[in-house]
Amino acid sequence: MAKPFSNLLKLIGVAIVAMALLGGLAYQLDRLEVVSLWGDFLGGFHPVVLHLPIGIVIAIALQTVWRRWRGTSTEGEDRLLWVLAAVTATVSFGTGYLLVMGGGYQSEHLTWHLWGAAIFSSLCWVGLAASCWETARWARDMITGGVIGAVSVTGHYGGLMVHGDPFAGAPWLNDPQRFAKFGEFGPEVRVYDEIVVPILGAKCVACHGPAKQNGRLRLDSFEAIVAGGEHGAVLFPGDLERSSIITFISLPDSHNDHMPPPNRPQITPPELAGLEYWVSSGAELDQVVSGEEPPAELAALMVPIYRLLEDPDALEAREAQEAEEAEQRVINRERLAADLAALPEHQRLGFSFEDLESDRLHFSPATYRHLLTTEDLESLLPLLQASVKVDVSGLPVSESLLRVLAESSQLNELDLSETSVGNEVFAILGKTPGLQRLNLFGTAVDVNAEITPGSFANLRQLFVANTAADVAALDVALPHVDVIGDLGLAPPEAVEEEDQSSD
Amino acid sequence: MSFSQHRDRHIYAALAAMMLAGIGVVGCSPQDSGVEVAAATLPEKVEFNAHVRPILVQNCTACHGGVKKTGGVSFIYGEEVLARAESGRIVVTPGSPEESEMFRRISSTNELERMPPVAHGDALEPVEIAIIKRWITEGANWEEHWAYEPEVLRGAEVPAAFADWGQNEIDAYVLSAMDAKGLTPNSEEAPARLLRRLSLDLIGVPPTWEDAQAFAADSSPDAYAKQVDRLLSRPEFGERWATPWLDLARYADTKGFERDPKRDAWPWRDWVIDALNDDLPFDEFTRLQLAGDQRTDPSLSDLVATGFHRNTKTNVEGGSDDEEFRIAAVVDRVNTTWQAWMGTTFGCVQCHSHPYDPIPHESYYSFMSLFDNDWDHDMSNEYPTLGYAIDPEARDEAFQLQGEIDQLGRAYQQSFRQLAETVEWAPVDFLAATSTRGVTFAIERNEAGAEILQTGPNVPKDVLHTVHASIEGDWLTALRIDALMATNATVEKPGAPFVVSLIEGWLIPPDGKPIEISFNRMIPDEFGHSDWPEDSLDPGTSNGWSAYPKQHYDRWAVLVPDRAVAIPAGAKLELKVHNGRGHDGAAQPVLRRFQVSVSDDPRWIATSNDMSVIDIAARRETALEQLSAIKLAQQPVLRSRNPEYPRVTNMFIRGDWRTRGERVDPGVPPILRPANGASVDSRTKLAEWLVLDENPLTSRFTVNRHWEQLFGRGLMETLEDFGSASSPPSHPALLDYLAIQFRGEWDWSVKRLLREIAMTATYRQSAVTEVAAAETDPRNIWLSRGPRNRLTAEMVRDNALQVAGLLSDKMYGPPVMPVQPEGVWRTPYNNDVWTTSKGEDQYRRSVYTFWKRTVPYPSFLTFDAPSRDVCSPRRITTNTPLQALVMFNDPVYWECADQLAVNARAGGGDTPADWIIHGFQQSLLREPDELELRGLVYLHDQLLAEDSSAPALQLTMNAILNLDEFLTK
Amino acid sequence: MNLWQQWQTDRLSHVTRRHFLQDCATGLGAAWMATQGGALYGKSGAHGASPADVMKNPLGVRSPHFPAKAKRVIYLHMAGAPSQLDLFDYKPELFRLDGKDCPSEFLEGQTFAFISGIPSLLAPRHRFSPAGAAGHMVSEILPHFREIIDDVCLIKSMQTDQFNHAPAQLLLHTGNAQPGHASFGSWVTYGLGTENQNLPGFMVLVSGGQNPSAGKAAWSGGFLPSVYQGVQCRSAGDPILYLENPNGVRRNQRRMMVDAIDKINRRTHEEVGDPETLTRVSQYEMAYRMQMHASEVMDLKQEPEYIHEMYGTSPGEESFANNCLLARRLVEQGVRYVQLYDWGWDHHGNGDNTIDKGLKKKCGEIDRPIAALLKDLKQRGLLDDTLVVWGGEFGRTPMRELRHGIVSETYGRDHHKEAFTMWMAGAGVKGGTSIGETDPLGFFVHDNPVHVRDLQATMLHSLGFDSQSLTYPYQGLDQKLTGVGDPPRVVSEIFA
């Protein structure tokens, strides 16, 4: 019996030595970190390595249980597993410590996690020692139990820090009936945890969190928010004007300091209202509101379908679609540019693109307007049909040309001012789908123009000044259109004003 | 623990090894896989300036440079690149790219930390990353920008095939650069065309038809050299080469801004023409213009030379603050000095350190303090000016008279000043102080005695102070006024001005009959102000003793009566001070705070009656009268203030003159400081520093801009910026050679420099562009063909007048006004009128045309002349329809065409073809070929056929003046 | 699931899709991610025409950087600085305190052009009354302005740095208070070229008897090539300098001459091969066409009588009304930037420069033509892509001017850079609105300040340019209209 007892003492000795070794390892890693980049690099391995000892320790426990149940307990069989457990535990402790050195993980969970890891690693060495030296079974079982306990504590807090509290949504903590009714918010809604953290998490933590600390500001934990950034505090409970956490996100978009930066997902009005509500009501960590009748400011957030970030699948589809459109635009542009290059100068000079990348074409000749003939326009028809704005004012526009133009799906604005077109224009262009603006200034349209009902569905503006058209009639016929006729000025004498000059 | 089972041990080892290997392989996969670039594309020896600096300037210095040092990182100063950034990591560790944070950032693929950041654009090209990696591995040697390193004489070997082509060393450099690009030089230009090019380049006017023929016929080997020397010695040389320097000096005949009134700056322009014609060495040319006034006993031309920096603008707009625009003028002088001598954009440094060159922010203000202590102060009369007689004969006499007046005035005051500073003054105690127009006074008493201080918000102009004071002692022989600075004014923020238009004193005895004290002498504390203090005794003028336009420090003046005045017992002193001057500025020139003290020392009267003093005063009066008889132009000149009352220069916070940082001492930027550590603390030393052999910029910039005048494009294309953001020079070795020779063997002689360039075979090449050359070198950077550029604005006019025989060769004198359309010349509050000059003056060379800043001469403007508001090193030529309209319809050119037609008819021959040939020869100095002649004759006949009264020949001549060949050289 | 859970799942799925392995820098997949990462962003960076190819065809039409609301600009500058307090910025408090001393807290640290000491406050001399749908208070000396106020956006919170005319005009039009910088019109023609090659792209029309204080520098090309400088039109003599042939020379004679010159120049080009020669051939063609087109477009007599009556023009003389009609005709023909200067708004109270009679007289000269211009543009369908801007170079003080420290009997105000009013119309500007407010006395801007640099950035934005990306390399710096320093703000609230 003495031997197992002395082994027990030895085991405790091993535990203490292991703890000391780990402390030394931590001190060494401390120094190493400052000197070179290796610290950061190795620290990154932690997430990979830490899951190994968990698996191995579970294997040990199962083996022990299996052996107990089968009654065949032989010494040293699980020594291999203990070796692996000890080695991987120590390695993961080391990498974990380096990761902490990298900074960015201050929270109370961390201390639990660190101590748990230290105990777990040393217990693994003790377990290894126990399986080498002949020790009482109850002692080895106790060690295995201790190891399981230590790893679950360490694992829990580790997970909390990185992945958040998995139990928050646990059924026994939340009454299922309540979830369904209020969009999964409980009767009491912890404003900070359930409203503020998700919003900040979605819109701010990418640049103010573990990965990056712009302006030395972190928003991924309550202490960090209170601590503030390089320009001091960002949160003044109850004072919206002074809290820059609010003022920066309510600046107009074009302002240079507007947060979040333009190329990031923006904070929506309901989210801003929610944050303002939290700050103005004292910005406490544990503030609770009723889930049934949430305050007005939070109501918009507490609906089942409220989306913080764009649904990833939708985002993916949108970006793919945009990319595909951009490609199509480039192809159109090159094709159109080639066609334009082939034109003689007096025709080409009238065309221009809407902007540097767009394939939307405008036609408004100026330099050679006085030289363009009907034949020119006829030959330009394919390009005119591809144009969104066509200004053929003062040009010999034939009816046939007008009919072809009317079929164009691209045409948004057509300027026929001072051409010879008459009332027939209303019949011809009535069906042009995209037509929004039609300029008939100084044309031959007159009172007997008829508008077939339902035509010009998308038209927004119609200019008929300097014509004989009946503006009132057109107004009635086209209620949704802004019809602009002759705009004169009140005659000069109409406005006299008694002079109140120097008394 | 026993690993007895051998087999188990193997399994464990294999398992562990496999696991570690897995992590290893995964962990260190070739992250920088993109960086392996075929070594072949890398230059064999990575040089910092040639390869690395362009990458840094292009991608990094915008945020890591003089303006912003994000993260504490800057790529401008060598030591900062090797230092530790705010993140604690070392930017660049020589020898090991892995330890250099900069390399890690540029080669990282993690968007969040990659440099340049995603928002600023793409990552560096792989080859650029490889170059930087190579540079760091090879020890990260830092070199200063080439323009700040001394010139290097590199020599050039000439390809064998063209060994005998070159005329001198310059051709060797050009040839080797040309050969490297696979180009071959052109043959020499046809003689007539070559002489026309040479003549326009050197004297700005074409040769006559006869000269051209004579040159073509002269087969002597040095025929060309003789022409070069002939042209260099012509007086027109100075008139042509003055124009580029007038552009740099922002010369104009008006003051600028709103009213833009006239200014007599032409004496300085004439000085430049003379200096160029006398081939004044460029270093002396520099010393005189920057500090001619600081010479011992400076001559008339020494003083006129300092007109260079008085070409800055003066704002006489009502309500403009004279201190603000004095500072604007000083800032302009600093920027222009760097631009006109060294091609450096020093203006950037006013608000922050130079964005990409090693010039720190403070050095702007230490350089500025060199110009901050001159007398000129944005005053309408532009004091100090120098009377320059319009009639050349009277010029020396006028200069001598002004010297005399100055010297006598100084002596006159000196004879009293010593007394003023030693005699014992008894301050009076004020009893009452009143004034007109609501100005109120308070009498303050402190240990220095009683003081009168103006109180109340409002000080209008034209007020009369009346002061009563008690006075002890029996005799009054002198009275002193101390004008004290306003309580809140400092040297940086000067106080309101004052002008004492008239001062009179009485003694009022108890029985009430005042005894007038008739003062006849008034001596100020300091000679050199724009006023003559004794005008305060003359009721006829509102001038007098003053501190104008601002008061920078306490002033005093002493009044001496014509005889000792007995003070009746119990008498009181009454003084009346009339502040008669008003101006448009906010603070009116009125005495606001002053003390009075008296003296009974008999020496005042003795000195006042001393024969020598009376004689000095009399001689001064006669000199003044003699001077007023001479018609003078008032040329603004530089004059430094008295050293004992210096202005202090402070840094402007972010460049705003209203917010002052700490004080600075005069000096030049560290990187260009003289090797021997000599201090540069005066304009004289500044001029000396500019032309030091070790100054790497002056000589390079100067030879480069002369090269640009002849070839249309500098060896360093961006004349105005030799900094590291501009592309490097096309022929660095040639540029250095010219710079060293110009400063060395050619002893700063501009004519020698131009001669060397003009004599080169490069310059003499024909301008024909071979098809091959057009592809490889469309802009003729490698000089494989002769220069062909449009004439400058001045040359276009002079050329037309010369070929028509209208050009007058009268030189110098006030600016003239050739024909200009009606209604173009108008500026607010200024009723100067453009009266077309009469007779010969209408046809003077263009350099003499009146130059108004807000309305330059229209046809010059259309041919790309700058407005000369700022130093303009380069004129970018354009080609516009408005130029065609000028040549067609401007009366000047219409008259030239008319005169050409007259000359053609008179020149013999009676057929249109003969006339046209004559006109063609005069204009283009060659015979028209068959096609040209036929075209012009056809035009002439067609015009006549269509309308027999049409001025056909004049129109045809006008057509010749519009040919491309006529407008180019 | 609640917000938190939603965020968790989104975050993870986002991560898996793109950034998952990035969080653990050396995770198993990091290597794979590194190779796949590649350039997520297309070739970005400011792509516009490089200065070199701009010089080949300097005034050729170019597209803006992003879709633009405005294709052309008409700028109406009232040189001398109209008094905003007497026209648009209605201050009842000022009426109440008329004649009282100006409160001292307004005067500390302030410098004025002429005022010194303690001036008294001065109320407007004319009545205000509500105008337009929104009932903005406008002075009654602008009767016709009421008819167009529903197309106009008033900016009451303008600010500038300069209180002298020449520097302030230069800052407003060239971005720098000292001469030598490129003016707005030059930047726009450099950026967009001009549609009608037969006319200059940037034209300047002056009225009121004088050029503005800044002179030609206000429409100079500065460091830009001189082809971009403004071309000043003149009401007397040639509308453009040297446009008309000397008397006795007819158009067809010029045609023959141009043909002869072209023939010889083409021969020179074959011989010498200098590309500039060919450019000169095309310039002479354009000069010939410009002679016809420019004189035609400048000939106001071609307009029908009702238009002349509407604008109140007086052909043959120099008048603001003529210039407004000319502006409409020029933009109709495709001129890119038309700049009008009307002199005579410097109402200090000296002579007849007073804010009662003087201001009323000047308003009489501009009120009708401006209303006519906006209505005419609107009825022709031009207003929607023409940006119209009205304003002075700074404002005028609420206090009465005290020249030389003496109270003048006439009513005048001094220069005031802290607050003034401008307005914009057309090209997507929200009509019938007003932005920004000044304090009860109209001394300081109280809310939404708009510096002249912000105005410049906003105008560039409406033309399809970001103020930081329209640049020209000179002296080693990519020069910008709005200069160096923090990028100014686009006042997006102005646009619908």
PDB file of all heavy atoms in Angstrom, chain B residues 123-138:
ATOM      1  N   ALA B 123      -2.541  46.084 -55.085  1.00  0.00           N
ATOM      2  CA  ALA B 123      -1.233  45.759 -54.482  1.00  0.00           C
ATOM      3  C   ALA B 123      -0.143  46.120 -55.493  1.00  0.00           C
ATOM      4  O   ALA B 123      -0.425  46.401 -56.669  1.00  0.00           O
ATOM      5  CB  ALA B 123      -1.178  44.261 -54.197  1.00  0.00           C
ATOM      6  N   LEU B 124       1.087  46.158 -55.014  1.00  0.00           N
ATOM      7  CA  LEU B 124       2.212  46.456 -55.924  1.00  0.00           C
ATOM      8  C   LEU B 124       2.364  45.295 -56.902  1.00  0.00           C
ATOM      9  O   LEU B 124       1.967  44.166 -56.617  1.00  0.00           O
ATOM     10  CB  LEU B 124       3.502  46.609 -55.111  1.00  0.00           C
ATOM     11  CG  LEU B 124       3.544  47.797 -54.109  1.00  0.00           C
ATOM     12  CD1 LEU B 124       4.909  47.870 -53.457  1.00  0.00           C
ATOM     13  CD2 LEU B 124       3.241  49.108 -54.844  1.00  0.00           C
ATOM     14  N   GLU B 125       2.927  45.625 -58.079  1.00  0.00           N
ATOM     15  CA  GLU B 125       3.181  44.552 -59.054  1.00  0.00           C
ATOM     16  C   GLU B 125       4.236  43.600 -58.462  1.00  0.00           C
ATOM     17  O   GLU B 125       5.123  44.048 -57.730  1.00  0.00           O
ATOM     18  CB  GLU B 125       3.746  45.168 -60.346  1.00  0.00           C
ATOM     19  CG  GLU B 125       2.810  46.171 -61.020  1.00  0.00           C
ATOM     20  CD  GLU B 125       1.461  45.539 -61.352  1.00  0.00           C
ATOM     21  OE1 GLU B 125       1.448  44.315 -61.649  1.00  0.00           O
ATOM     22  OE2 GLU B 125       0.439  46.222 -61.227  1.00  0.00           O
ATOM     23  N   PRO B 126       4.174  42.325 -58.840  1.00  0.00           N
ATOM     24  CA  PRO B 126       5.181  41.364 -58.310  1.00  0.00           C
ATOM     25  C   PRO B 126       6.614  41.860 -58.562  1.00  0.00           C
ATOM     26  O   PRO B 126       7.464  41.788 -57.672  1.00  0.00           O
ATOM     27  CB  PRO B 126       4.875  40.086 -59.101  1.00  0.00           C
ATOM     28  CG  PRO B 126       3.451  40.206 -59.529  1.00  0.00           C
ATOM     29  CD  PRO B 126       3.148  41.666 -59.650  1.00  0.00           C
ATOM     30  N   VAL B 127       6.847  42.426 -59.732  1.00  0.00           N
ATOM     31  CA  VAL B 127       8.244  42.830 -60.021  1.00  0.00           C
ATOM     32  C   VAL B 127       8.651  43.963 -59.067  1.00  0.00           C
ATOM     33  O   VAL B 127       9.779  44.011 -58.579  1.00  0.00           O
ATOM     34  CB  VAL B 127       8.380  43.282 -61.517  1.00  0.00           C
ATOM     35  CG1 VAL B 127       7.640  44.573 -61.790  1.00  0.00           C
ATOM     36  CG2 VAL B 127       9.836  43.374 -61.887  1.00  0.00           C
ATOM     37  N   GLU B 128       7.675  44.820 -58.710  1.00  0.00           N
ATOM     38  CA  GLU B 128       8.022  45.923 -57.790  1.00  0.00           C
ATOM     39  C   GLU B 128       8.368  45.342 -56.417  1.00  0.00           C
ATOM     40  O   GLU B 128       9.326  45.751 -55.758  1.00  0.00           O
ATOM     41  CB  GLU B 128       6.833  46.892 -57.684  1.00  0.00           C
ATOM     42  CG  GLU B 128       6.616  47.722 -58.955  1.00  0.00           C
ATOM     43  CD  GLU B 128       5.313  48.548 -58.886  1.00  0.00           C
ATOM     44  OE1 GLU B 128       4.362  48.098 -58.165  1.00  0.00           O
ATOM     45  OE2 GLU B 128       5.245  49.624 -59.502  1.00  0.00           O
ATOM     46  N   ILE B 129       7.565  44.357 -55.992  1.00  0.00           N
ATOM     47  CA  ILE B 129       7.834  43.745 -54.676  1.00  0.00           C
ATOM     48  C   ILE B 129       9.207  43.073 -54.707  1.00  0.00           C
ATOM     49  O   ILE B 129      10.013  43.203 -53.772  1.00  0.00           O
ATOM     50  CB  ILE B 129       6.715  42.723 -54.328  1.00  0.00           C
ATOM     51  CG1 ILE B 129       5.351  43.446 -54.241  1.00  0.00           C
ATOM     52  CG2 ILE B 129       7.037  41.988 -53.036  1.00  0.00           C
ATOM     53  CD1 ILE B 129       4.170  42.516 -54.019  1.00  0.00           C
ATOM     54  N   ALA B 130       9.502  42.460 -55.835  1.00  0.00           N
ATOM     55  CA  ALA B 130      10.794  41.771 -55.931  1.00  0.00           C
ATOM     56  C   ALA B 130      11.930  42.787 -55.857  1.00  0.00           C
ATOM     57  O   ALA B 130      12.942  42.579 -55.169  1.00  0.00           O
ATOM     58  CB  ALA B 130      10.843  40.999 -57.261  1.00  0.00           C
ATOM     59  N   ILE B 131      11.738  43.926 -56.524  1.00  0.00           N
ATOM     60  CA  ILE B 131      12.800  44.956 -56.508  1.00  0.00           C
ATOM     61  C   ILE B 131      13.038  45.404 -55.071  1.00  0.00           C
ATOM     62  O   ILE B 131      14.169  45.477 -54.585  1.00  0.00           O
ATOM     63  CB  ILE B 131      12.377  46.164 -57.388  1.00  0.00           C
ATOM     64  CG1 ILE B 131      12.482  45.797 -58.875  1.00  0.00           C
ATOM     65  CG2 ILE B 131      13.227  47.389 -57.077  1.00  0.00           C
ATOM     66  CD1 ILE B 131      11.992  46.895 -59.809  1.00  0.00           C
ATOM     67  N   ILE B 132      11.968  45.653 -54.346  1.00  0.00           N
ATOM     68  CA  ILE B 132      12.127  46.145 -52.965  1.00  0.00           C
ATOM     69  C   ILE B 132      12.785  45.069 -52.111  1.00  0.00           C
ATOM     70  O   ILE B 132      13.679  45.340 -51.292  1.00  0.00           O
ATOM     71  CB  ILE B 132      10.738  46.565 -52.396  1.00  0.00           C
ATOM     72  CG1 ILE B 132      10.275  47.840 -53.138  1.00  0.00           C
ATOM     73  CG2 ILE B 132      10.820  46.802 -50.894  1.00  0.00           C
ATOM     74  CD1 ILE B 132       8.980  48.427 -52.656  1.00  0.00           C
ATOM     75  N   LYS B 133      12.362  43.840 -52.365  1.00  0.00           N
ATOM     76  CA  LYS B 133      12.968  42.744 -51.573  1.00  0.00           C
ATOM     77  C   LYS B 133      14.473  42.719 -51.847  1.00  0.00           C
ATOM     78  O   LYS B 133      15.290  42.667 -50.920  1.00  0.00           O
ATOM     79  CB  LYS B 133      12.319  41.407 -51.985  1.00  0.00           C
ATOM     80  CG  LYS B 133      12.877  40.204 -51.230  1.00  0.00           C
ATOM     81  CD  LYS B 133      12.083  38.939 -51.541  1.00  0.00           C
ATOM     82  CE  LYS B 133      12.596  37.793 -50.671  1.00  0.00           C
ATOM     83  NZ  LYS B 133      11.842  36.542 -50.908  1.00  0.00           N
ATOM     84  N   ARG B 134      14.824  42.804 -53.125  1.00  0.00           N
ATOM     85  CA  ARG B 134      16.264  42.771 -53.510  1.00  0.00           C
ATOM     86  C   ARG B 134      16.978  43.954 -52.850  1.00  0.00           C
ATOM     87  O   ARG B 134      18.076  43.788 -52.280  1.00  0.00           O
ATOM     88  CB  ARG B 134      16.314  42.889 -55.041  1.00  0.00           C
ATOM     89  CG  ARG B 134      17.693  42.802 -55.643  1.00  0.00           C
ATOM     90  CD  ARG B 134      18.101  41.341 -55.833  1.00  0.00           C
ATOM     91  NE  ARG B 134      19.203  41.221 -56.780  1.00  0.00           N
ATOM     92  CZ  ARG B 134      19.080  41.426 -58.101  1.00  0.00           C
ATOM     93  NH1 ARG B 134      17.913  41.770 -58.609  1.00  0.00           N
ATOM     94  NH2 ARG B 134      20.114  41.303 -58.906  1.00  0.00           N
ATOM     95  N   TRP B 135      16.341  45.109 -52.875  1.00  0.00           N
ATOM     96  CA  TRP B 135      16.973  46.319 -52.334  1.00  0.00           C
ATOM     97  C   TRP B 135      17.253  46.134 -50.841  1.00  0.00           C
ATOM     98  O   TRP B 135      18.347  46.420 -50.350  1.00  0.00           O
ATOM     99  CB  TRP B 135      16.039  47.522 -52.562  1.00  0.00           C
ATOM    100  CG  TRP B 135      16.472  48.769 -51.843  1.00  0.00           C
ATOM    101  CD1 TRP B 135      17.638  49.455 -52.007  1.00  0.00           C
ATOM    102  CD2 TRP B 135      15.753  49.451 -50.808  1.00  0.00           C
ATOM    103  NE1 TRP B 135      17.679  50.534 -51.166  1.00  0.00           N
ATOM    104  CE2 TRP B 135      16.544  50.559 -50.417  1.00  0.00           C
ATOM    105  CE3 TRP B 135      14.509  49.242 -50.190  1.00  0.00           C
ATOM    106  CZ2 TRP B 135      16.128  51.450 -49.415  1.00  0.00           C
ATOM    107  CZ3 TRP B 135      14.118  50.135 -49.194  1.00  0.00           C
ATOM    108  CH2 TRP B 135      14.918  51.225 -48.820  1.00  0.00           C
ATOM    109  N   ILE B 136      16.257  45.591 -50.137  1.00  0.00           N
ATOM    110  CA  ILE B 136      16.449  45.417 -48.684  1.00  0.00           C
ATOM    111  C   ILE B 136      17.557  44.382 -48.449  1.00  0.00           C
ATOM    112  O   ILE B 136      18.480  44.584 -47.652  1.00  0.00           O
ATOM    113  CB  ILE B 136      15.131  44.959 -48.014  1.00  0.00           C
ATOM    114  CG1 ILE B 136      14.047  46.042 -48.171  1.00  0.00           C
ATOM    115  CG2 ILE B 136      15.372  44.637 -46.535  1.00  0.00           C
ATOM    116  CD1 ILE B 136      12.704  45.664 -47.532  1.00  0.00           C
ATOM    117  N   THR B 137      17.476  43.277 -49.208  1.00  0.00           N
ATOM    118  CA  THR B 137      18.488  42.228 -48.989  1.00  0.00           C
ATOM    119  C   THR B 137      19.886  42.793 -49.241  1.00  0.00           C
ATOM    120  O   THR B 137      20.838  42.458 -48.543  1.00  0.00           O
ATOM    121  CB  THR B 137      18.225  41.048 -49.987  1.00  0.00           C
ATOM    122  OG1 THR B 137      16.883  41.122 -50.435  1.00  0.00           O
ATOM    123  CG2 THR B 137      18.486  39.719 -49.328  1.00  0.00           C
ATOM    124  N   GLU B 138      20.003  43.659 -50.238  1.00  0.00           N
ATOM    125  CA  GLU B 138      21.345  44.180 -50.544  1.00  0.00           C
ATOM    126  C   GLU B 138      21.727  45.327 -49.591  1.00  0.00           C
ATOM    127  O   GLU B 138      22.612  46.123 -49.920  1.00  0.00           O
ATOM    128  CB  GLU B 138      21.391  44.697 -51.999  1.00  0.00           C
ATOM    129  CG  GLU B 138      21.391  43.563 -53.029  1.00  0.00           C
ATOM    130  CD  GLU B 138      21.100  44.090 -54.452  1.00  0.00           C
ATOM    131  OE1 GLU B 138      20.910  45.339 -54.585  1.00  0.00           O
ATOM    132  OE2 GLU B 138      21.024  43.299 -55.390  1.00  0.00           O
TER     133      GLU B 138
END
